[in-house]
Amino acid sequence: MKVLILGSGGREHALAWSVARSERVTEVVCAPGNGGIAQVARCVPVNLKDLDAMVRLAEAEQPGLTIVGPEVPLSLGIVDALQERGLRVFGPTRAAAMLETSKAFAKQFLQRHGIPTANYAVCTTVAEFEKAIEFFHAPIVVKADGLAAGKGVIICASRQTAVEAAQGLFAGTLLGAVEHQVVIEEFLTGDEISFLCLSDGKHVTPLVPAQDHKCIGEGDAGPNTGGMGVYSTDEMLDPAMTEWVLRHIAEPTVSGMAEEGTPFIGVLYCGLMMTARGPQVLEFNARFGDPETQALLMRLDSDLVDALEASIDGNLAETSMRWTPGAAACVIASSAGYPGKYKTGLPISGLAAAAKVPGVEVFHSGSALVDGQLVTAGGRVLGVTAVAPSLEEALARAYQAMEEIHFEGMYFRHDIGHRALKKKP
Ligand code: AMP
């Protein structure tokens, strides 16, 4: 079977790597892909913001399965468009993807179905926002309704700064796009867990849990990024808590979407805060996370394509996913200056030596092949990912591999997994 993957980052490299291991897959095509993905897939150019171009590509390639990586093609309705043309595609429809593409929709949905989440208000004007803010204590979380590439959440130290943030969102000066709805949210504290499941519209199958590291600096300091590293262990969620999250969060979400006539088929990514009053939903994503997917797929010990097809066909209840016990860790190497301005086109060396470290795969987030030389092509450049029987060993392998790699200004955090390591007796 030919598989088409839409996307160009570390998530898509990990997906391509995992799909290529399936005995049923004869060819992997990635659009547009990147320099590293080109080692495991045929990369073809496409603009991920251009629905017609993506549809034309899929019609020309006629893949047996299309996997949609990022959120923008989902928000444009790529799944609906490919389904209408009789093409098999893994991911939610545009209506189901609203769990991610509209924070106001997601919060109101959670409330309708009694699923635990932070207290909130949805406002449509600054005046409404100023009235609603009286019911919240600082710090206050202000969220843009629409997709904002990780920049739509502003944690405000006072009501005054919250109002200023809302003014910026409504006016379009903060994110560049005018927001018509802004969410105010109660600030929650606790450990964050990424709980990803596959859904076939009726049943959910959980993947192993993961924890992301969003801040650029060590000790979780500095501005937010797309993610500087992630780890996954068996101990992060015990079986009783996994069951609780399934019963009270993932399953009611999937049954609620089905009841509302928009069944959710795809990856349901529940961003959870483990608070004193129990797990609360911070956000949903309607797709595999990045960099989470890099660590998670290294632990997958069964065929990814079988699981994705079971999700499309409504057979998840009869399909099991096997996971390697132990841990996986992914450390991101980024360009100097990221998440601000950075240079691209810098030669990357040492990848062959890094790949020789046992249990290591280097996934590419932002690289390009120029005249046979791999060069940097993004803020996040590489995801050095390792699997091992323990988190300590997985991290040691990832950092050992990282030592082999070089590009000018390369930056990475040395403390990925620090929260889990601190908790160990
Ligand atoms: P989101 O895109 O909604 O996941 O938000 C991005 C990040 O903002 C989360 O990973 C949290 O670290 C933080 N965040 C979002 N909502 C809250 C909240 N209600 N309380 C505290 N932190 C939050």
Side-chain angles (χ1 to χ4, degrees):
M1 181 189 5
K2 183 200 275 191
V3 177
L4 169 65
I5 299 171
L6 294 175
S8 64
R11 164 185 45 217
E12 287 77 22
H13 193 174
L15 285 166
W17 170 83
S18 189
V19 160
R21 289 152 64 106
S22 169
E23 280 179 6
R24 295 170 47 214
V25 172
T26 49
E27 188 183 8
V28 186
V29 181
C30 190
N34 66 34
I37 298 175
Q39 294 160 5
V40 288
R42 174 164 60 84
C43 293
V44 289
V46 81
N47 177 356
L48 295 169
K49 293 182 183 149
D50 184 341
L51 181 63
D52 291 342
M54 289 184 283
V55 170
R56 275 198 305 275
L57 172 70
E59 283 190 306
E61 291 285 348
Q62 287 294 314
L65 171 66
T66 299
I67 306 171
V68 186
E71 61 276 23
V72 170
L74 295 173
S75 73
L76 296 174
I78 184 69
V79 171
D80 313 55
L82 296 188
Q83 280 173 350
E84 278 163 23
R85 288 160 179 83
L87 291 165
R88 271 166 85 71
V89 51
F90 175 77
T93 59
R94 185 179 186 171
M98 276 184 73
L99 281 180
E100 170 165 8
T101 57
S102 168
K103 295 233 191 255
F105 172 83
K107 293 298 284 187
Q108 286 158 344
F109 172 88
L110 287 162
Q111 190 178 36
R112 276 200 295 283
H113 294 278
I115 301 168
T117 191
N119 292 320
Y120 75 100
V122 174
C123 307
T124 52
T125 60
V126 173
E128 231 181 272
F129 187 96
E130 282 172 329
K131 230 184 251 168
I133 198 106
E134 295 302 322
F135 296 97
F136 291 83
H137 296 282
I140 295 165
V141 184
V142 177
K143 296 186 175 179
D145 177 53
L147 289 179
K151 296 193 180 81
V153 177
I154 307 131
I155 315 262
C156 304
S158 68
R159 287 187 180 139
Q160 181 54 36
T161 50
V163 170
E164 285 162 15
Q167 283 166 338
L169 290 173
F170 282 121
T173 50
L174 209 59
L175 296 177
V178 170
E179 289 293 328
H180 300 287
Q181 299 187 95
V182 172
V183 178
I184 312 178
E185 223 177 80
E186 165 198 18
F187 180 79
L188 298 175
T189 53
D191 271 345
E192 277 186 52
I193 299 269
S194 304
F195 187 88
L196 283 75
C197 326
L198 294 187
S199 166
D200 64 7
K202 299 181 295 281
H203 305 99
V204 293
T205 297
L207 314 187
V208 282
Q211 192 172 61
D212 193 3
H213 298 63
K214 285 259 175 235
C215 296
I216 187 76
E218 286 169 15
D220 300 317
N224 259 352
T225 68
M228 292 305 294
V230 69
Y231 70 96
S232 165
T233 69
D234 292 328
E235 297 91 55
M236 288 170 68
L237 273 190
D238 63 28
M241 187 53 93
T242 302
E243 196 59 25
W244 195 97
V245 172
L246 280 171
R247 295 286 164 266
H248 297 272
I249 292 175
E251 289 173 359
T253 300
V254 167
S255 59
M257 289 299 281
E259 272 166 33
E260 295 190 9
T262 48
F264 187 95
I265 296 167
V267 175
L268 179 68
Y269 170 135
C270 309
L272 304 178
M273 186 77 94
M274 311 304 276
T275 74
R277 63 174 199 262
Q280 308 277 321
V281 176
L282 283 182
E283 63 157 348
F284 287 122
N285 291 324
R287 49 168 171 98
F288 283 105
D290 194 0
E292 287 90 340
T293 304
Q294 304 181 43
L296 297 184
L297 291 183
M298 290 281 288
R299 292 189 63 193
L300 180 63
D301 191 31
S302 53
D303 191 318
L304 178 65
V305 174
D306 286 348
L308 302 187
E309 291 215 300
S311 162
I312 295 172
D313 294 332
N315 292 333
L316 269 184
E318 294 93 58
T319 310
S320 59
M321 296 178 87
R322 280 191 319 275
W323 300 94
T324 308
C330 168
V331 183
I332 298 290
S334 64
S335 299
Y338 175 75
K341 281 201 176 123
Y342 52 82
K343 276 199 243 171
T344 57
L346 303 168
I348 306 170
S349 61
L351 291 170
K356 284 197 187 119
V357 178
V360 166
E361 291 291 333
V362 180
F363 297 118
H364 293 226
S365 308
S367 75
L369 254 182
V370 177
D371 300 331
Q373 168 68 52
L374 272 167
V375 298
T376 64
R380 291 188 296 169
V381 178
L382 303 168
V384 182
T385 312
V387 66
S390 70
L391 179 59
E392 286 85 346
E393 287 166 89
L395 288 165
R397 287 174 169 184
Y399 283 118
Q400 185 190 337
M402 190 68 96
E403 292 306 320
E404 303 287 350
I405 300 171
H406 178 78
F407 57 85
E408 189 190 308
M410 178 172 108
Y411 168 82
F412 62 93
R413 277 180 62 165
H414 293 76
D415 66 344
I416 299 305
H418 68 99
R419 288 184 225 106
L421 298 177
K422 241 180 252 154
K423 273 190 201 154
K424 295 228 159 159

